């Protein structure tokens, strides 16, 4: 999944991915789907409040074109270029397992515990099969998280 674009709280949720993931994303509740192999999201999406970038590269720069003024660009793949905030009236947030914002990670954990956020587990592997899990993760067809079990 390349990027998720969202109009928050009861509004549209838009996702981009390859066509392989469309049914899965619609099951998760996506209102609008953009197949990134067929069209560029910024050419078909109007202003949104939040963009969640899971790819990096050129995606943050392309995302600012669809963000409303005061919108939020959330990156889970590292800090986007500082020029994005200099040239656009947006907020940039970086979220990772090593976040400098433990309260954000606590909030995400609480949402999962409350059942409001439901992570999808694609497959589970014993720790000794890490290489196999890595091979599966290299495909474009993982829908959800790969879990390594440490028993």
């Amino acid at each position: 999944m390349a990027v998720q674009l969202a109009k928050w709280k009861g509004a549209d949720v838009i996702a981009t991915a390859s066509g392989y993931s469309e049914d899965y994303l619609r099951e998760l509740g996506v209102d609008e789907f953009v197949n990134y192999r067929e069209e560029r999201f910024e050419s078909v999406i109007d202003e949104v409040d939040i963009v969640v970038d899971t790819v990096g590269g050129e995606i943050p720069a392309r995302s600012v074109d669809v963000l409303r003024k005061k919108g939020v660009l959330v990156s889970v793949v590292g800090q986007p270029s500082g020029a994005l905030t200099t040239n656009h009236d947006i907020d940039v947030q970086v979220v990772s397992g090593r976040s400098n914002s433990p309260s954000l990670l606590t909030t995400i954990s609480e949402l999962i515990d409350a059942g409001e956020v439901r992570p999808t587990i694609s497959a589970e592997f014993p720790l000794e099969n890490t290489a196999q899990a890595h091979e599966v993760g290299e495909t474009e067809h993982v829908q959800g998280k790969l879990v390594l079990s440490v028993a």
Side-chain angles (χ1 to χ4, degrees):
M1 196 170 344
V3 66
Q4 292 106 22
L5 308 130
K7 295 179 184 176
W8 194 247
K9 294 280 185 181
D12 293 341
V13 174
I14 306 163
T16 68
S18 71
Y20 175 83
S21 299
E22 182 174 2
D23 291 341
Y24 170 71
L25 291 169
R26 292 205 184 272
E27 286 176 24
L28 292 176
V30 167
D31 298 301
E32 187 173 342
F33 175 81
V34 178
N35 184 333
Y36 69 79
R37 292 189 177 170
E38 296 177 359
E39 53 195 346
R40 293 173 66 91
F41 66 84
E42 66 273 26
S43 66
V44 295
I45 301 297
D46 289 325
E47 293 183 324
V48 297
D49 299 313
I50 302 169
V51 172
V52 179
D53 172 27
T54 62
V55 176
E58 67 180 26
I59 297 299
R62 291 171 50 201
S63 297
V64 297
D65 293 333
V66 301
L67 275 169
R68 285 192 171 101
K69 185 177 179 179
K70 305 284 186 192
V72 180
L73 172 61
V74 179
S75 174
V76 298
V77 291
Q79 181 69 45
S81 163
L84 291 176
T85 54
T86 304
N87 299 327
H88 298 87
D89 191 9
I90 62 170
D91 183 25
V92 177
Q93 297 290 321
V94 178
V95 179
S96 75
R98 292 171 278 175
S99 176
N100 290 332
S101 179
S103 64
L104 179 58
L105 296 176
T106 299
T107 300
I108 293 169
S109 176
E110 289 168 353
L111 289 169
I112 291 170
D113 290 344
E116 293 185 44
V117 172
R118 293 175 299 286
T120 301
I121 297 174
S122 181
E124 189 170 339
F125 299 88
L127 186 59
E128 59 269 13
N129 291 358
T130 301
Q132 180 186 4
H134 185 52
E135 289 173 9
V136 170
E138 298 261 330
T139 73
E140 293 184 23
H141 303 298
V142 175
Q143 295 178 334
K145 296 295 177 187
L146 300 176
V147 175
L148 293 176
S149 297
V150 182

